[in-house]
Amino acid sequence: MQLFIGGACAGKRDVVTARFPDAVWYRLAPEQRLDACQQTLLADTPLVITGVLEWLEAASGSMQNDAFREQWQRDMTCLYQRASQINAPLIIIAHEVGCGIVPMQPEQRRLRDLNGWFVQDATRQADQVWYVRHGLVQLIK
């Protein structure tokens, strides 16, 4: 698995498109579990997962932090294992939102916490992590 992280409009999509021109793109939908992506996996075809921040925002209201995190950790492990079995490179594009001003609204602070935990969990599973800023790509893991 590879994780591409960076701020909004940093060039993540362009970098991933250039590196994986034959990839299937999958946008996470609200109220959907992460492992629903498995239905899109194709043998020997990269799968790019986007929409993580919006997915976290939509799904976060229905569960407590720990339960929600445990669920996506299990789903991420299953998805990664299935992708490995069929030689389908898995790519996740995530937003970096932790470097800005801390919002006053509790739900916005929670969203930033959830996003940070998600990226940490994805980083642990990832073989490579890339940071994209201004279209420049740096391997950080």
Side-chain angles (χ1 to χ4, degrees):
M1 180 169 71
Q2 295 188 46
L3 173 65
F4 287 79
I5 186 166
C9 303
K12 299 178 296 292
R13 286 180 164 274
D14 293 340
V15 169
V16 170
T17 298
R19 290 183 183 201
F20 304 97
D22 298 328
V24 172
W25 288 67
Y26 187 91
R27 183 166 188 79
L28 291 169
E31 305 303 321
Q32 175 184 55
R33 290 191 47 171
L34 181 60
D35 66 352
C37 303
Q38 286 190 48
Q39 65 190 359
T40 311
L41 286 170
L42 299 172
D44 304 313
T45 304
L47 175 65
V48 179
I49 299 171
T50 66
V52 172
L53 189 63
E54 295 83 2
W55 172 75
L56 288 169
E57 184 172 28
S60 65
S62 60
M63 297 180 84
Q64 294 297 319
N65 291 354
D66 291 340
F68 186 34
R69 188 174 182 191
E70 288 171 11
Q71 180 185 41
W72 84 53
Q73 287 173 333
R74 284 190 308 270
D75 289 354
M76 190 180 297
T77 299
C78 290
L79 180 62
Y80 179 71
Q81 289 172 347
R82 178 68 183 131
S84 295
Q85 289 171 350
I86 64 170
N87 192 36
L90 190 59
I91 299 99
I92 298 176
I93 297 177
H95 287 287
E96 169 57 59
V97 294
C99 294
I101 296 171
V102 176
M104 292 180 64
Q105 303 87 354
E107 63 277 359
Q108 288 298 310
R109 288 194 306 273
R110 181 175 185 233
L111 176 60
R112 279 151 181 76
D113 289 344
L114 291 170
N115 188 71
W117 292 324
F118 182 90
V119 170
Q120 288 178 50
D121 294 339
T123 296
R124 274 193 275 294
Q125 294 248 354
D127 302 308
Q128 294 177 317
V129 178
W130 304 88
Y131 189 78
V132 183
R133 184 176 174 145
H134 306 299
L136 301 172
V137 185
Q138 181 180 17
L139 180 65
I140 57 176
K141 176 186 176 187

